[in-house]
Amino acid sequence: MNHAISNLQKRDLNHIWHPCSQMKDYENFPPIVIKSGKGIYLYDENGKEYIDAVSSWWVNLFGHANKQISTCLANQAFQLEHVIFANFTHEPAILLAEKLAKITPDGLTKVFFADNGSSAVEIALKMSFQYHQQKNKPNKRRFLAFTDAYHGETLGALSVGGVDLYSSIYQPLLLDTLRAQGPDCFRCPFNQNPTNCDTPCISSVEKILKKHHSEIAAVIIEPLIQAAAGMKMYPPSYLKQLRKLCTKYDVHFIADEVAVGFGRTGTMFACEQAEIMPDFMCLSKGITGGYMPLSVVLTTNEVYDAFYDDYESNKAFLHSHSYTGNPLACRIALEVLKIFKEGQYIEKIKQKSTYMKELASNIYNNHPNIGEYRQTGMVGAIELVKDKETKEPFSSEERIGYKIYQIALEKGLLLRPLGNVLYFMPPYVIETDEIEKMILTASESINEFFASYNDKGGKLI
Ligand SMILES: *Cc1c(COP(=O)(O)O)cnc(C)c1O
């Protein structure tokens, strides 16, 4: 923490404006210069090793500098790096679309390409809106979203997001979104047990749909985990209920699986656990195993057909991005699916996540400042609380998570927090002994922080 600033760090700060950062924080804590990666590890310019417990913003699946994927990337680069995707196509995109249509819920048959998660969300919103316009339902022009939802940072995506930290200043620019109370199992207002819950909280959505369905084009939700809000988890039965309501009220169901897709929740896609088919599914992050920006929106023939007409009808979907359907990214995404299958990773994720959950629950659940340890698939979250009984949170000004993050970094663990929530979302190649090391190092960091915090009578260190 008190290391002298390196030459590269100094030059970084001369010109680079980092994402999701108060740049002034870097005065005391400059960005760490990463030189290389291998498996679950990152290595900085001084050779210090870090376990990447957050999969580099939830994108990495099979480790850094993965030999198989890197070779595949190089081969594709020597064959075709990019081509315009309107009026042209290429085999990697065709194969990928075929595979995605096959492994996602039945009925999702059409694939639209983009290059990041926010764009995928924009596309789903625009398609849903335009669908209703072209189906002579011009009043269906609003979206229903959830408190604590996160769907990305572009204006349309922010409009359906519910994390004030990211969106409040932009309110005057945003769409007029309807907002339902999201499921909150940790602080459940209905005192339900999440393992055996009949989701009374769905009534918040139902009320809005009943009253406003004629104005609503689509509902958008993060299936099973509201990730950016602090890995808030809820049961599949909620999604089942929501699907029924959407069908009943003629409202599209947009499943934003940007974070949870590709095995994170223990199944290839989170929607599988609820046995539902959304009208739109947004995928990105893990799609290329953390190698290249790529996203897709999958939808149904029903939606597709509403845009399919003679040119003069002006019904086409004219959205495009320069790097749409990039061949390097598509080729890698195919390799990622191959690794899933050949390495039997869905099975491996089940085993590894069971081990992780047992160990972490034992270590964390009795800690006086941990409200709960929760886990879905390969996503584990530690909810820090001021008071275990009342679940009173620490105030955000205390930046408890951020302080623990700094301690953990010193110990070689990258554990970037979401407010009062520390989480594990490691690459799937993590081994049992590494899971143990990750969990124990996080525990030591938490204990070290609270020992000092409590010594000072609950003051910041
Ligand atoms: C990260 C994320 C996005 C945005 O994806 P970007 O590639 O960062 O634009 C959208 N939705 C969810 C659920 C996400 O976690």
Side-chain angles (χ1 to χ4, degrees), residues 58 116-118 121 150-152 222 256 258-259 284-285:
W58 321 347
N116 65 80
S118 307
V121 167
Y150 181 86
H151 299 291
E222 294 165 86
D256 178 357
V258 168
S284 188
K285 291 202 166 111

Side-chain angles (χ1 to χ4, degrees), residues 322-450:
S322 313
Y323 281 93
T324 288
N326 176 259
L328 298 171
C330 290
R331 185 66 193 82
I332 292 172
L334 283 167
E335 200 68 11
V336 161
L337 292 178
K338 192 168 153 203
I339 296 173
F340 259 112
K341 199 165 170 191
E342 289 178 354
Q344 298 181 308
Y345 267 95
I346 294 297
E347 194 46 47
K348 279 189 186 142
I349 288 167
K350 286 202 173 99
Q351 290 159 5
K352 289 178 186 192
S353 60
T354 304
Y355 177 76
M356 187 165 125
K357 189 169 185 173
E358 267 176 35
L359 185 65
S361 303
N362 278 337
I363 288 182
Y364 296 125
N365 270 337
N366 295 319
H367 193 286
N369 290 108
I370 294 175
E372 77 171 355
Y373 176 78
R374 55 179 173 264
Q375 195 183 307
T376 303
M378 285 294 265
V379 185
I382 299 165
E383 175 108 22
L384 300 166
V385 289
K386 197 158 196 158
D387 185 315
K388 205 174 169 88
E389 279 304 304
T390 64
K391 301 183 178 175
E392 184 193 343
F394 288 102
S395 80
S396 59
E397 288 79 41
E398 291 203 77
R399 303 185 83 185
I400 301 281
Y402 183 67
K403 307 270 177 210
I404 296 171
Y405 155 73
Q406 293 184 329
I407 296 171
L409 264 183
E410 282 288 302
K411 297 181 190 294
L413 177 66
L414 166 43
L415 197 69
R416 201 171 187 273
L418 295 157
N420 289 324
V421 174
L422 299 164
Y423 65 92
F424 304 118
M425 213 200 236
Y428 305 153
V429 291
I430 192 166
E431 297 294 347
T432 311
D433 58 325
E434 295 167 332
I435 291 177
E436 197 174 308
K437 191 164 141 198
M438 171 179 80
I439 288 173
L440 292 176
T441 308
S443 171
E444 279 167 26
S445 308
I446 292 168
N447 289 340
E448 202 173 301
F449 171 78
F450 280 110

